[in-house]
Amino acid sequence: MEIIKLKEIDSTNEYAKKLIDSGKRDFIVIADKQSKGRGRLGRVWFSDPGGLYFSIVLDNKFYEILSFITPLSVVKALNIGAKIKFPNDVIYRDKKISGILIERYKDKIIVGVGINVENEIREEIKDIAISLKDIKRGVNKDEVFKRFLDEFFNYYNNNDLDKEAILKEYKKFSDTIGKRVRLILPNNEVEGLVFNIDFEGISLVTDVGLKKYPTGEIKNLRNLKE
């Protein structure tokens, strides 16, 4: 797979879309810096030098499990005991170290990944974000990138991929299952205990019983006061 390396770009996902429009297929865009990096729900992803910012363009297969195998690949590449916050953020001791944005575009899927590796965390987000260099010494973003690709394509290129095995592995690294959370939905929010996560969404035990939600944003993973 071709890897396109850039010094700076607005967003690797947006640049990937332009290349798809031009007819390019099956490639990776990686940039040293993004001026308009973004995460889920349109949030800003600060993309200062030293971090890993890349987008993988793939055929439209395995879409439903990409939100599972991508964070799993990050967790394994980092090898620091990181956890997965639903749906696909990677955290270390309650601070985000990686964010993932997966988009369908035309007949392709774009898997956008940001990992804080050697970059300094800006003062305004130090209470919610962390960089790998603050956790262990001798980190190298090129090595982390290679390890991620090895893990990711071991999953993606496996034609006999066992979905239930992937789900079991994801749950092993979940920082969400078993915790009380506030789930932000398009028109309201709900609080409850996370009972399960599967390919159809997240199940919460609430005041009105067990209910499944196909998506949502976890606002607070810490125990909520009654």
Side-chain angles (χ1 to χ4, degrees):
M1 179 173 280
E2 181 183 3
I3 299 177
I4 300 168
K5 297 182 178 181
L6 304 169
K7 287 293 184 184
E8 183 174 349
I9 194 67
D10 54 353
S11 158
T12 57
N13 269 33
E14 293 306 309
Y15 188 73
K17 291 175 184 177
K18 294 176 183 177
L19 293 181
I20 293 170
D21 288 341
S22 72
K24 199 167 188 61
R25 295 291 183 267
D26 303 331
F27 58 92
I28 300 171
V29 177
I30 182 168
D32 291 337
K33 181 180 178 182
Q34 292 181 119
S35 59
K36 295 181 180 178
R38 59 188 177 89
R40 295 180 67 250
L41 305 178
R43 291 194 176 97
V44 173
W45 180 268
F46 292 122
S47 307
D48 295 322
L52 265 176
Y53 318 110
F54 59 94
S55 298
I56 307 172
V57 174
L58 303 164
D59 290 331
N60 196 348
K61 73 168 185 175
F62 292 155
Y63 180 79
E64 67 175 352
I65 66 169
L66 283 172
S67 286
F68 294 80
I69 67 173
T70 308
L72 277 172
S73 300
V74 173
V75 167
K76 290 182 174 183
L78 294 176
N79 192 28
I80 54 171
K83 298 290 185 178
I84 302 170
K85 173 186 171 185
F86 179 84
N88 53 27
D89 283 340
V90 176
I91 63 171
Y92 180 80
R93 296 183 179 176
D94 292 329
K95 292 186 176 184
K96 186 184 292 191
I97 194 167
S98 174
I100 294 161
L101 177 62
I102 300 173
E103 300 181 284
R104 278 193 177 106
Y105 187 72
K106 296 187 174 179
D107 63 336
K108 294 293 181 181
I109 298 173
I110 304 172
V111 179
V113 180
I115 308 175
N116 297 323
V117 182
E118 301 174 72
N119 53 306
E120 293 287 343
I121 299 299
R122 298 190 187 194
E123 195 63 38
E124 61 264 39
I125 58 170
K126 278 191 173 181
D127 59 333
I128 60 171
I130 194 168
S131 186
L132 184 60
K133 74 177 185 61
D134 300 320
I135 302 168
K136 65 179 185 179
R137 296 179 179 178
V139 300
N140 181 286
K141 69 175 185 177
D142 293 331
E143 291 178 4
V144 174
F145 182 51
K146 182 182 183 302
R147 289 200 300 267
F148 171 87
L149 294 182
D150 287 344
E151 298 288 352
F152 182 85
F153 284 106
N154 279 340
Y155 288 121
Y156 186 80
N157 291 328
N158 184 357
N159 292 325
D160 298 319
L161 196 61
D162 185 338
K163 291 172 59 176
E164 291 308 312
I166 293 299
L167 189 57
K168 183 178 180 180
E169 193 173 16
Y170 176 94
K171 290 179 181 181
K172 183 176 73 172
F173 291 105
S174 173
D175 192 61
T176 306
I177 295 174
K179 290 195 173 181
R180 290 192 62 82
V181 302
R182 180 178 294 117
L183 184 68
I184 309 302
L185 303 168
N187 299 315
N188 66 325
E189 59 184 56
V190 60
E191 292 183 8
L193 181 72
V194 179
F195 177 73
N196 193 30
I197 295 171
D198 58 28
F199 295 117
E200 283 71 51
I202 184 169
S203 298
L204 298 185
V205 179
T206 70
D207 293 339
V208 296
L210 182 64
K211 189 170 181 181
K212 178 175 285 188
Y213 301 89
T215 188
E217 183 74 8
I218 298 294
K219 189 174 182 180
N220 189 353
L221 286 176
R222 298 178 179 84
N223 289 335
L224 302 172
K225 294 181 180 180
E226 299 293 335

